[in-house]
Amino acid sequence: ADEGIEITNQKMFLIWLGIPEEMHEKIYFTIKNNWARYPDTIIKFEENDSDYHFTEEENTILENAADKFSDHMNVLRKK
């Protein structure tokens, strides 16, 4: 079964991930299970506007956010 993660408050979720509010409108994200050898729920970020490209600083913020999400999922999985 694919356990979906329900995000009830996207703004709070992005802030929890460490993404500043001014970036929120630039981001489109998807959460999915990557059914590799070990099931792993990952988050992917993309530019909301195809003409926009994340800056290096924004990419770093998003990488850190993806790591935080991944770490959190690992903690939940071990319970």
Side-chain angles (χ1 to χ4, degrees):
D2 196 351
E3 294 176 31
I5 293 168
E6 190 180 345
I7 309 292
T8 52
N9 186 326
Q10 184 167 320
K11 181 178 168 187
M12 291 302 292
F13 176 66
L14 294 174
I15 288 171
W16 173 77
L17 286 174
I19 299 171
E21 262 184 80
E22 59 270 15
M23 276 181 72
H24 292 189
E25 287 185 10
K26 300 176 184 175
I27 295 171
Y28 170 79
F29 69 87
T30 49
I31 294 173
K32 53 182 161 237
N33 277 322
N34 132 15
W35 294 106
R37 176 183 264 180
Y38 304 103
D40 192 14
T41 305
I42 57 172
I43 189 165
K44 292 185 84 124
F45 296 102
E46 294 169 58
E47 291 88 345
N48 225 351
D49 179 347
S50 58
D51 293 334
Y52 181 76
H53 295 291
F54 293 134
T55 64
E56 205 169 309
E57 184 184 0
E58 287 171 337
N59 273 321
T60 300
I61 290 169
L62 295 175
E63 283 167 24
N64 291 338
D67 286 346
K68 178 170 185 171
F69 180 83
S70 196
D71 289 346
H72 182 67
M73 294 311 296
N74 286 335
V75 167
L76 293 180
R77 195 173 302 111
K78 289 181 179 132
K79 288 188 174 176

